Amino acid sequence: MTQKYTTSRFGRFATWASHTTGHPSTFILAVLIILAWVVTGPIFRFSDTWQLVINTSTTIITFLMVFIIQNTQNRDSAATQLKLDELIRSIENANNSLLNMEQLNEKELEDIRLGYLRLAEEAHKALRKSKSNK
């Protein structure tokens, strides 16, 4: 998704951050930072403060990235659902009751799933029957 479609500041920031952190050069930078930390170990005599620096840094970065990743995934998931809804809506004889089904509760979803399992079993039986008749 490009930034021009995202309107909230956080959405724009999350998009930028997810693209930036997912770039290979960012990974290389992270590896270099870790190597620099390892190299400085003997200088700081592997002190508790030396260890605390990397632990605190990685904890803070991980904590913040969880929210950025979740925001990006939420937007991607919503876009995917809308695309699937459009495909269902546009297919003749499609079951339009499946549109927006991610809003259903667990029992409703399970009932629909069981209905499709029954349809699949009937189709398998019909296939086996047609093969045995040949």
Side-chain angles (χ1 to χ4, degrees), residues 28-40 50 54 58:
I28 291 169
L29 177 63
V31 169
L32 291 175
I33 290 170
I34 292 169
L35 288 174
W37 173 77
V38 168
V39 168
T40 61
W50 173 80
I54 198 71
T58 56

Side-chain angles (χ1 to χ4, degrees), residues 26-123:
T26 306
F27 175 78
I28 291 169
L29 177 63
V31 169
L32 291 175
I33 290 170
I34 292 169
L35 288 174
W37 173 77
V38 168
V39 168
T40 61
I43 296 169
F44 293 104
R45 296 190 176 117
F46 303 100
S47 68
D48 289 344
T49 303
W50 173 80
Q51 293 177 34
L52 188 62
V53 166
I54 198 71
N55 290 336
T56 303
S57 301
T58 56
T59 300
I60 290 169
I61 291 168
T62 302
F63 179 76
L64 295 174
M65 286 305 296
V66 165
F67 298 102
I68 290 170
I69 292 167
Q70 188 62 51
N71 177 272
T72 304
Q73 286 182 338
N74 287 348
R75 284 184 285 117
D76 287 347
S77 177
T80 300
Q81 289 302 319
L82 290 170
K83 291 173 186 178
L84 290 171
D85 286 349
E86 175 59 16
L87 288 172
I88 292 168
R89 187 200 60 76
S90 66
I91 296 173
E92 191 175 331
N93 298 323
N95 185 353
N96 286 335
S97 67
L98 298 178
L99 292 172
N100 207 22
M101 72 185 295
E102 66 276 4
Q103 302 299 320
L104 299 176
N105 65 41
E106 293 295 322
K107 173 151 181 19
E108 293 168 323
L109 288 172
E110 182 63 15
D111 290 345
I112 292 170
R113 188 183 76 79
L114 291 173
Y116 278 104
L117 284 175
R118 283 190 297 275
L119 287 172
E121 184 59 34
E122 291 171 12

